[in-house]
Amino acid sequence: MADDEKNLDGPPAASSSSGATGSPVRSYVAIGDSFTEGVGDPGPDGTLIGWADRFAVRLAEARPGLRYANLAVRGKLLQQILDDQLPVAVAAAPDLVSFCAGGNDVLRPGGDPDKLAAEYEQAVVALRGAGARVMVFTGFDTRELGLLKLVRGKVATYNEHLRVIAARHDCTVVDLWAMQAVQDRRAWSEDRLHLSACGHERVALNAARALGLPTDEDPEAAWPPEAEQLSAAAARREHVQWAREHLVPWIGRRLRGQSSGDSREPKRPDLLPL
């Protein structure tokens, strides 16, 4: 049996996946917001794919018969995820839960990473108490992500909390902050807030490696050279268009207390074979 498959059945090597329960991964539940729902990565029929679906496919290749549910809904704040998704995940008693939440809170004025981390940890305790491995994600380094660079310090603070929580409760960490591949603009969709299909695939690879799954592809592989570079004038026009089509509506929803996920249901609410 290959070492990578052993990591799925028993205590994994520290370098690949901490957070094993000693039992094989036969069921997987993803909880979170737009990142985990897959916004920015539509399939041919318009149905969202995203890193979690892509990761689940890789997991199913190693574990045929895997059951998978994705409860994530775009726009959700941490407390909404804890209220709506966490109880469903705990009740399902899956072998593995991916848990990425709090990013929307950090982006908001007054979002307190210390308070968020305390709430996040209670959720991790509940999931671990239900017998699940828990896979947590740091936030991306926002230094090259336009206006998001203004919250870089808050993201870094929250990340440090998440790393401590993961170590305390023996969770697997997928380190998005350290990913260099997502600093390329091609990793992001037109709205500059969500990953592109290529970006989601890179994260799926990163998650697979973190859990000890065999992958031939490298999530940090160099991007191919771009055919042409935008001129300064074209870049300014692109920025104005982005602000009009994406930034202004995003700000407007927050001023009105609305969310893009209002009245939206999870895309894969039941734990079913993939």
Side-chain angles (χ1 to χ4, degrees), residues 12-13 15-18 135 172-175 205-213:
S15 62
S16 62
S17 173
S18 62
M135 186 163 62
T172 299
V173 177
V174 182
D175 193 348
L205 285 169
N206 196 352
R209 287 195 168 191
L211 199 68
L213 292 174

Side-chain angles (χ1 to χ4, degrees), residues 61 90 200:
E61 290 173 351
V90 169
H200 277 285

Side-chain angles (χ1 to χ4, degrees), residues 28 35-36 51 55 97-101 120 135-139 158-159 162 172-176 203 206-207:
Y28 163 45
F35 169 68
T36 301
W51 75 264
F55 166 74
V97 175
S98 62
F99 182 26
C100 184
Y120 188 103
M135 186 163 62
V136 305
F137 294 72
T138 68
Y158 192 47
N159 283 350
L162 296 183
T172 299
V173 177
V174 182
D175 193 348
L176 302 180
V203 169
N206 196 352

Side-chain angles (χ1 to χ4, degrees), residues 117-200:
E119 296 168 352
Y120 188 103
E121 183 166 17
Q122 291 306 306
V124 170
V125 169
L127 291 168
R128 294 293 282 142
R133 306 186 191 194
V134 180
M135 186 163 62
V136 305
F137 294 72
T138 68
F140 294 103
D141 186 347
T142 62
R143 70 182 185 273
E144 301 295 339
L145 298 180
L147 293 176
L148 294 184
K149 65 185 178 183
L150 298 177
V151 296
R152 190 182 186 219
K154 290 170 65 176
V155 174
T157 299
Y158 192 47
N159 283 350
E160 285 307 303
H161 281 301
L162 296 183
R163 290 189 180 98
V164 170
I165 292 168
R168 186 179 293 141
H169 300 288
D170 197 20
C171 303
T172 299
V173 177
V174 182
D175 193 348
L176 302 180
W177 180 275
M179 283 191 72
Q180 294 301 307
V182 295
Q183 295 302 320
D184 190 288
R185 67 185 185 89
R186 287 169 286 183
W188 297 89
S189 64
E190 290 183 356
D191 68 7
R192 305 184 189 178
L193 295 171
H194 301 101
L195 293 172
S196 64
C198 291
H200 277 285

Side-chain angles (χ1 to χ4, degrees), residues 18-115:
S18 62
T21 60
S23 60
V25 176
R26 298 190 179 94
S27 53
Y28 163 45
V29 174
I31 62 176
D33 51 30
S34 59
F35 169 68
T36 301
E37 185 186 353
V39 174
D41 184 12
D45 62 353
T47 302
L48 295 178
I49 303 174
W51 75 264
D53 287 14
R54 294 171 180 272
F55 166 74
V57 169
R58 291 177 178 275
L59 189 56
E61 290 173 351
R63 281 291 166 206
L66 175 80
R67 293 179 299 138
Y68 167 54
N70 190 321
L71 308 178
V73 176
R74 67 193 69 181
K76 295 302 181 182
L77 300 173
L78 176 59
Q79 191 58 56
Q80 292 173 314
I81 293 169
L82 301 188
D83 291 342
D84 301 336
Q85 300 176 31
L86 178 63
V88 179
V90 169
D95 299 316
L96 174 67
V97 175
S98 62
F99 182 26
C100 184
N104 288 322
D105 301 78
V106 170
L107 290 177
R108 294 191 170 207
D112 183 349
D114 301 326
K115 180 176 181 294

